[in-house]
C-alpha cells in the first residue's frame, strides 16, 4: 500500500473506492482499481447497523471477507478501534489480512484530546510494525472547531510524529487541503464525491460511505419499480 502512495505525479491521486462487502469489493477490483479502502459506514449498514453501531467482531469479520474476495491490497476503516487497546486493534487488523487502516479521532461524537489520540496511534503503530499503512483521520472540520485548519495542523503534526503514514482531514475544503499537504510532509487523504472533481493538492482520495449510499439508493429505486 505504501508504494502506491509514493512518487505520485500532481493531479494523479491514489483513488481508493470503499467496498462495503465482498461483492462490491470484487466489482471495484474487476474495474481495475489497484487497491481498496473499506467503508465502516457502508459495512455497518450492510450488516444491519447504523453508522458507528456495528460491533467490533462483525466489522473485523466483514473486513476479512473483503480481503479474501480480492487480489488487491485492502485498507480497513475501523473507526476509532471500537474501544480496544492498541495492541488488540493491531492484532485483529493483521488477522483480517488488511495492509493498513484508517483510525479517526472522534469518540462518542466528540474530538479526542490530541495527546491522548497521538498516544493511541503510537501504540497501534508499535504493535503493527512498520509495514502496514496507518491513515490518521482528523475531525476538526466535522466537530466544530473554531479554527479547524489550525487544529488540523496541530493534530496532523502530532499524529505524524506518532507514526501515522498519512493524514485524513475529513471534509476539509480544497484551500485547506493545499496548506495541510504543504505543511505535513506526508500524503493527505481527501474525501471526494463519486466522479470528482478531485482536489489537486492531495495524493489519496477516498469516498467515505458515499458509494455504498449510492448503491443503496439505486436498490431502493429498483424496489419501488418492482413494486
Amino acid at each position: 500500500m505504501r508504494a502506491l502512495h509514493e512518487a505520485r505525479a500532481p493531479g494523479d491521486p491514489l483513488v481508493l473506492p470503499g467496498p462495503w462487502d465482498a461483492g462490491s469489493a470484487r466489482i471495484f477490483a474487476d474495474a481495475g482499481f489497484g487497491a481498496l479502502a473499506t467503508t465502516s459506514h457502508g459495512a455497518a449498514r450492510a450488516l444491519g447497523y447504523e453508522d458507528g453501531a456495528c460491533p467490533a467482531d462483525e466489522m473485523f469479520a466483514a473486513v476479512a471477507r473483503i480481503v479474501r474476495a480480492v487480489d488487491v491490497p485492502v485498507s480497513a476503516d475501523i473507526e476509532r478501534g471500537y474501544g480496544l487497546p492498541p495492541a488488540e486493534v493491531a492484532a485483529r487488523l493483521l488477522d483480517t489480512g488488511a495492509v493498513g487502516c484508517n483510525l479517526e479521532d472522534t469518540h462518542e461524537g466528540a474530538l479526542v484530546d490530541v495527546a491522548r489520540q497521538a498516544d493511541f496511534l503510537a501504540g497501534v503503530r508499535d504493535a503493527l510494525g512498520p509495514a502496514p499503512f496507518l491513515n490518521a483521520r482528523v475531525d476538526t472540520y466535522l466537530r466544530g472547531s473554531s479554527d479547524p485548519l489550525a487544529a488540523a495542523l496541530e493534530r496532523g503534526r502530532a499524529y505524524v510524529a506518532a507514526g501515522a503514514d498519512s493524514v485524513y482531514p475529513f471534509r476539509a475544503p480544497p484551500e485547506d487541503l493545499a496548506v495541510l499537504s504543504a505543511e505535513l510532509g506526508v500524503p493527505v487523504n481527501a474525501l471526494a464525491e463519486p466522479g470528482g472533481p478531485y482536489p489537486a493538492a492531495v495524493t489519496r482520495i477516498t469516498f467515505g460511505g458515499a458509494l455504498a449510499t449510492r448503491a443503496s439508493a439505486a436498490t431502493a429505486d429498483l424496489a419501488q419499480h418492482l413494486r
Side-chain angles (χ1 to χ4, degrees):
M1 180 67 78
R2 184 171 285 101
L4 294 173
H5 290 80
E6 294 174 350
R8 302 201 70 87
D12 179 33
L14 177 62
V15 179
L16 298 170
W20 52 94
D21 59 13
S24 60
R26 285 176 176 159
I27 289 169
F28 292 132
D30 289 346
F33 288 97
L36 307 174
T38 71
T39 162
S40 62
H41 176 276
R45 296 296 296 271
L47 292 167
Y49 298 96
E50 292 301 314
D51 185 26
C54 184
D57 288 351
E58 294 198 46
M59 185 61 73
F60 282 111
V63 171
R65 287 192 293 272
I66 289 170
V67 172
R68 289 196 301 267
V70 296
D71 294 325
V72 299
V74 176
S75 180
D77 177 2
I78 50 173
E79 301 180 45
R80 197 182 174 264
Y82 305 100
L84 302 172
E88 187 172 352
V89 170
R92 298 190 71 169
L93 178 74
L94 293 173
D95 283 346
T96 69
V99 300
C101 67
N102 180 77
L103 286 165
E104 63 190 47
D105 60 359
T106 290
H107 178 66
E108 295 182 348
L111 283 168
V112 178
D113 174 77
V114 61
R116 178 184 167 203
Q117 180 68 3
D119 286 346
F120 175 72
L121 292 172
V124 174
R125 172 86 282 166
D126 183 63
L128 282 175
F133 195 88
L134 180 55
N135 188 39
R137 198 174 103 173
V138 176
D139 281 351
T140 59
Y141 293 88
L142 181 64
R143 299 300 169 195
S145 297
S146 58
D147 189 342
L149 175 57
L153 285 166
E154 177 192 11
R155 286 173 177 267
R157 292 184 179 114
Y159 300 166
V160 171
D165 296 294
S166 64
V167 173
Y168 181 12
F170 193 69
R171 296 186 181 172
E175 60 272 18
D176 287 7
L177 289 170
V179 174
L180 290 157
S181 295
E183 293 290 331
L184 295 179
V186 296
V188 169
N189 187 148
L191 176 70
E193 290 297 320
Y198 300 150
V202 302
T203 53
R204 175 179 167 122
I205 298 288
T206 55
F207 303 93
L211 302 177
T213 298
R214 180 172 289 193
S216 180
T219 303
D221 289 343
L222 177 60
Q224 290 300 316
H225 175 73
L226 293 174
R227 184 170 178 271

